[in-house]
Amino acid sequence: MAEENKWKPDGDGAEEDEEDELDDTAYKSAKDAVLFAIDISPSMLTPPPQSDSKKADQDSPASAALKCAYTLMQQRIISSPNDMMGILLYGTEKTKFREEESETHLGLGYPHCYLLADLDVPAAEDVKALKTLIEDEEEFQKLLIPSKQPASMANVLFCANQIFTTKAANFSSRRLFIVTDNDDPHETNKALKFSAAVRAKDLYDLGVIIELFPISKPDSGFDRAKFYDDIIYNVSPTDPEAPAPIAGATKASSTSDGITLLNSLLSSINSRAVAKRALFSNLPLEIGPGFKISVKGYIIIKRQEPKRSCYVWLNGDKAQIAKGISAQIADDTARQVDKGEIRKAYKFGGEQVTFTPDEITALRHFGDPGIRIIGFKPLSMLPMWANLKPSTFLYPSEDDYVGSTRVFAALHQKLLRDQKMGLTWFVARKNAAPVIAALVPGAEKLSDEGDQLIPAGLWLIPLPFVDDIRQNPETPLVRASDSLVDMMRVVVQQLQLPKAEYRPDRYPNPALQWHYRILQALALEEELPEKPDDKTIPKYRQIDKPLFILQRTGAYVTDWGHELEAQYQAWSQATRSVSTTTLGKRPASSAVKTEGESSKRVKVADAGVLSDAEMQRHVKAGTVGKVRFIQATFLLDWRNLEEIFCGQIG
C-alpha cells in the first residue's frame, strides 16, 4: 500500500524510536504510475460462444480488460491515493491523444491511438465515467471500433513514452501494461518490428517497465518469441537484479471451464499490481572471513491494514488536506521544547536514569549493518513456531561486489540440495537491534498457467531469543488413539482444499475489503452494501447435501463415530476402576509436610489402610474401640471428618 508518511518526525528521531523494526518508509512511500494499453482488434472484441452455464465467459477480451482496469482503479483510488493510472486504447478507428493537443501535430502523430483516461491520480469522476462506459453497451460499441489498418506498435510505445514523460516524470515506478491476443502484430514488416524494438529500448532507458498480459485464442496459443521477446525486458531498469517473473498466456475459454477470462486477468494483474521495491539495498552478506557478497531485501508478503492516508480539515468553505507539524510541549508551562533540551531516560529502581544522545547511540551500536553466516544446520531443526517476524526475501546485487550472483546461486543450490539452513547474525540498518535469523533456501513455484508464484532465492527468517519464548500452559488432555487418528485422517483428506494447498490469491481479507467497499460507496455516491463478500465462509450448502456427504465422507464419519464411542466406553470403565482402587489413598493435598506427621505416614503404611467396608463391619459389631487410632485417623482425615469424630474414637 503506497502512501506518504506525512507524520514522520524530522531528523534522526524516527531512527532512534524504531530500533526494532525495519525502516520500510521508503518502501511504502514510493509512487507508482500504471498505464493500460489495450488492443482493440476484431478478435479482442469477439465475445465467447453462448453457454447455459453460469460460469461461462460472457465478456469479450477487450471488455474484460477494461473491467480489470476499472477494478484496479477502484482499488488504487482508496488504498493508494497518490498513484497514477491511465488507459490507452490502440487499434481504434478514432484517434485521440489530449484535448489541448488534438489540433497540433502531436495529436496526429499517434494514429489509431485513443487515450481513454489520461495518466493521473484517479478521481471519483474518472471511476464513474469508466463505469458508465462499461455498462453502456451502445457507447461501448460506438467507441470501440477497430481500425482497418492495424496500429503501429512503435507509435503505441512512443505515445506511452510521451505520457510518462509529461505526467509522471519523477515517479520511481512507471509501468506499461499491454493486453493483447496478437502475438505478431507486424508479421510481414521487419522495419516496423525494428522500430518497435527501438521504442521499447527508449522506454527501458527512461525507467519504464513493460508488462505483457497475453491472451491465447481458443484455437491457438500465444508465442512470445515472434515479437514480444524483443520488446519485453525481464529485468527492472531501476533494479536490474530484482526477480522479474514471466507471466503465461491467459486463456480465452470457449467453454465453461470454471475460470473466466475476467478472473484470470484480474488474478494476473493483481499479482503484479504492486511494484517490486527493495526494502534494503546492497547489504553485505558475509559467508566467511573476508568473503562477502551484496544482496537486496524485498517484502514478498506483507499484511495490509486499513490506514488513514491523510487528515482533512472540514471547517472551511472547502475540504482541505491538513499538513501535520509535530512539536514537543512542556507539561507544566506548555512551552515548546527544543530538541537539544530533551534527554532520554529509563526507569530503574524507582529512579529515572538519563542518557545523552551519544550514549544512546553507543548502547544501540552492535556493529555495521550486514548479514553474517555463523554456521549451518539441517533444515529439519527449524521448528514451525520459530517465526518471530515477517521474513525477508534476499536476491543478489552486483553493485558492491562483482560476482555476487554466481556465489549467491551456488549457496542457494547447495542449501537447497542438502536441505540445510544457515544461522546468521543480522543487523538490518544503522542502530538496529541485532537478530539471529535463519537463512532458508526457497525453490521457484509456478502456477498451472506458468505464472511465477514464488521466486527462487533465499529467505531470511528472524528467530526468537530465549526471552521471547513463553511457557505453554499446562492443560490436561486425553490423547486420541492411533486408530482414531488414522480414521480421521481419511475424513480430512476427503474434505481438503484443491491440490491440498492454500492459495492466498483466492481469499481476500474480508475485513479489509469491507472497509474499502464502504469507502468506495461513499466516494462514488453508490448504495451502501448490506453485507460483506466473505470468501472464507465454507460452502455449507454443498457440504450439507446428502449426496455429497455420502460420496465423500459419510461412511468414514460413521465408522469414526462408532470407534470413538467404543473407545470412550473403554476409557470410562478404566477411569472408574482406577478411582475405586485409589479410594483409600490419602490425597497429597491434605498432607502437611511436617516432621511430626512424616513419621505418622510411615506408620500408616505399616499398619495398613482401613477401607469403608471394614469400618462398617466394626460399627455393626460394636468393635470400633478395637480399631487402631492411626487407621481411624487416616480414614476420617481422608473424609475431612477428623476434627469431629477423632475424640469419640479415642
Side-chain angles (χ1 to χ4, degrees):
M1 182 183 298
E3 64 171 332
E4 292 189 57
N5 192 351
K6 299 181 175 59
W7 313 106
K8 181 180 178 181
D10 298 331
D12 299 331
E15 186 177 14
E16 294 179 358
D17 295 337
E18 300 293 337
E19 66 174 83
D20 293 333
E21 298 295 335
L22 289 175
D23 188 10
D24 58 351
T25 303
Y27 177 87
K28 295 187 295 183
S29 61
K31 296 181 181 180
D32 186 27
V34 175
L35 177 64
F36 276 85
I38 303 175
D39 184 13
I40 304 300
S41 61
S43 58
M44 289 285 290
L45 295 174
T46 303
Q50 295 293 332
S51 176
D52 297 334
S53 176
K54 296 182 180 179
K55 297 183 179 181
D57 290 334
Q58 303 294 333
D59 301 311
S60 64
S63 177
L66 284 174
K67 289 183 178 181
C68 286
Y70 168 71
T71 303
L72 186 60
M73 187 178 293
Q74 283 181 316
Q75 297 173 357
R76 290 296 183 91
I77 196 175
I78 296 175
S79 62
S80 305
N82 297 315
D83 291 356
M84 287 187 176
M85 271 196 63
I87 301 175
L88 175 65
L89 307 178
Y90 69 92
T92 58
E93 187 67 29
K94 296 182 180 180
T95 300
K96 175 188 174 184
F97 184 61
R98 289 195 178 100
E99 295 294 341
E100 62 272 14
E101 300 176 356
S102 60
E103 301 296 334
T104 65
H105 66 281
L106 290 177
L108 302 176
Y110 315 117
H112 308 303
C113 293
Y114 192 92
L115 188 58
L116 181 63
D118 200 359
L119 187 65
D120 202 349
V121 176
E125 291 76 12
D126 301 329
V127 179
K128 292 179 182 178
L130 184 56
K131 181 181 180 181
T132 303
L133 175 63
I134 295 175
E135 295 178 350
D136 191 348
E137 188 70 22
E138 182 179 353
E139 186 68 21
F140 184 85
Q141 296 295 337
K142 185 188 300 184
L143 177 62
L144 302 184
I145 300 177
S147 60
K148 298 179 181 178
Q149 297 293 333
S152 171
M153 289 302 299
N155 288 335
V156 174
L157 298 177
F158 186 51
C159 180
N161 192 323
Q162 293 296 318
I163 294 174
F164 282 117
T165 303
T166 56
K167 301 294 291 187
N170 298 324
F171 274 48
S172 59
S173 173
R174 292 175 288 183
R175 293 178 293 166
L176 175 64
F177 288 177
I178 300 179
V179 184
T180 181
D181 64 348
N182 188 0
D183 56 3
D184 195 2
H186 304 305
E187 184 176 0
T188 59
N189 196 327
K190 294 184 179 180
L192 290 179
K193 282 187 177 182
F194 178 77
S195 179
V198 172
R199 295 301 184 187
K201 184 63 169 60
D202 294 340
L203 282 173
Y204 178 79
D205 295 337
L206 188 64
V208 178
I209 303 174
I210 301 178
E211 297 273 10
L212 177 65
F213 295 91
I215 300 175
S216 62
K217 300 177 182 179
D219 55 346
S220 62
F222 194 98
D223 190 1
R224 294 170 173 268
K226 292 182 179 180
F227 176 76
Y228 284 99
D229 280 351
D230 296 331
I231 69 171
I232 302 296
Y233 292 83
N234 293 327
V235 293
S236 170
T238 58
D239 191 3
E241 290 84 14
I246 299 178
T250 303
K251 297 181 180 180
S253 59
S254 58
T255 60
S256 175
D257 57 358
I259 302 178
T260 64
L261 175 63
L262 177 59
N263 291 333
S264 300
L265 274 177
L266 277 176
S267 176
S268 182
I269 290 177
N270 284 333
S271 64
R272 286 177 283 175
V274 180
K276 293 179 288 292
R277 292 183 282 266
L279 180 62
F280 52 79
S281 300
N282 303 327
L283 196 68
L285 172 60
E286 183 179 352
I287 302 177
F291 184 21
K292 297 181 180 180
I293 62 175
S294 58
V295 295
K296 293 186 177 183
Y298 299 88
I299 295 180
I300 303 297
I301 300 175
K302 183 176 178 63
R303 178 178 175 81
Q304 298 291 336
E305 298 176 351
K307 293 184 179 180
R308 183 188 311 165
S309 59
C310 60
Y311 288 90
V312 180
W313 184 61
L314 300 176
N315 292 335
D317 297 335
K318 182 180 180 182
Q320 298 180 3
I321 296 179
K323 183 178 180 180
I325 299 176
S326 60
Q328 302 287 343
I329 304 296
D331 189 20
D332 51 353
T333 62
R335 179 181 62 89
Q336 184 172 347
V337 182
D338 296 333
K339 185 177 180 181
E341 303 179 57
I342 300 176
R343 300 186 67 179
K344 293 218 170 184
Y346 293 92
K347 194 172 183 179
F348 183 80
E351 298 182 359
Q352 297 288 345
V353 182
T354 61
F355 295 90
T356 63
D358 294 338
E359 291 174 341
I360 290 291
T361 302
L363 288 173
R364 291 178 175 176
H365 183 71
F366 286 89
D368 296 331
I371 306 171
R372 184 172 72 249
I373 297 179
I374 58 179
F376 297 93
K377 290 290 184 179
L379 196 57
S380 58
M381 295 185 65
L382 181 63
M384 181 65 68
W385 52 264
N387 198 337
L388 188 63
K389 295 180 181 179
S391 57
T392 305
F393 180 75
L394 300 183
Y395 213 72
S397 172
E398 296 282 339
D399 292 345
D400 293 344
Y401 301 95
V402 179
S404 297
T405 303
R406 292 185 178 181
V407 177
F408 186 92
L411 177 64
H412 171 263
Q413 294 174 8
K414 178 63 176 177
L415 293 177
L416 193 62
R417 181 171 59 250
D418 295 349
Q419 290 296 297
K420 299 282 188 179
M421 68 173 180
L423 291 178
T424 63
W425 172 270
F426 175 41
V427 179
R429 55 185 174 83
K430 184 180 178 181
N431 295 336
V435 175
I436 298 296
L439 194 65
V440 178
E444 182 183 27
K445 292 185 178 180
L446 302 176
S447 64
D448 297 336
E449 294 79 16
D451 294 338
Q452 188 183 70
L453 299 177
I454 300 178
L458 296 175
W459 296 84
L460 200 64
I461 303 177
L463 300 178
F465 290 103
V466 65
D467 312 83
D468 304 323
I469 302 176
R470 300 179 180 180
Q471 295 294 332
N472 294 330
E474 296 182 1
T475 55
L477 54 89
V478 179
R479 295 189 178 275
S481 62
D482 294 339
S483 59
L484 281 176
V485 173
D486 294 338
M487 296 176 69
M488 180 54 68
R489 182 180 292 110
V490 178
V491 176
V492 173
Q493 289 174 352
Q494 296 297 321
L495 295 176
Q496 67 185 3
L497 294 171
K499 297 183 180 179
E501 64 177 358
Y502 169 69
R503 295 288 301 274
D505 54 347
R506 297 182 180 178
Y507 303 98
N509 185 347
L512 186 65
Q513 296 301 320
W514 177 246
H515 172 77
Y516 288 158
R517 184 68 184 89
I518 295 296
L519 292 183
Q520 173 187 329
L522 294 176
L524 302 181
E525 298 179 357
E526 299 175 348
E527 294 184 1
L528 293 177
E530 297 180 356
K531 60 180 181 179
D533 183 15
D534 190 356
K535 295 185 178 180
T536 63
I537 298 177
K539 299 179 180 179
Y540 293 113
R541 292 184 179 180
Q542 183 179 2
I543 295 177
D544 291 341
K545 289 182 179 179
L547 182 61
F548 177 83
I549 293 295
L550 292 176
Q551 289 179 348
R552 299 289 295 273
T553 61
Y556 302 112
V557 172
T558 303
D559 296 341
W560 185 84
H562 293 327
E563 180 68 18
L564 175 63
E565 181 65 24
Q567 292 197 16
Y568 174 74
Q569 296 296 337
W571 175 81
S572 300
Q573 293 179 2
T575 304
R576 285 195 296 268
S577 62
V578 170
S579 62
T580 302
T581 56
T582 59
L583 185 62
K585 293 184 179 180
R586 182 176 181 175
S589 60
S590 63
V592 180
K593 295 182 178 180
T594 60
E595 295 182 0
E597 292 193 10
S598 61
S599 59
K600 185 185 296 185
R601 287 197 296 269
V602 175
K603 295 179 181 180
V604 170
D606 296 338
V609 178
L610 187 65
S611 64
D612 288 349
E614 294 175 350
M615 190 62 184
Q616 290 178 0
R617 286 197 298 270
H618 284 292
V619 171
K620 292 180 180 179
T623 58
V624 178
K626 297 181 180 180
V627 177
R628 298 184 61 178
F629 177 80
I630 191 172
Q631 290 179 323
T633 303
F634 180 84
L635 177 62
L636 297 176
D637 185 25
W638 183 80
R639 291 189 173 276
N640 296 325
L641 301 174
E642 182 177 5
E643 296 181 359
I644 302 176
F645 298 103
C646 188
Q648 299 180 5
I649 298 177

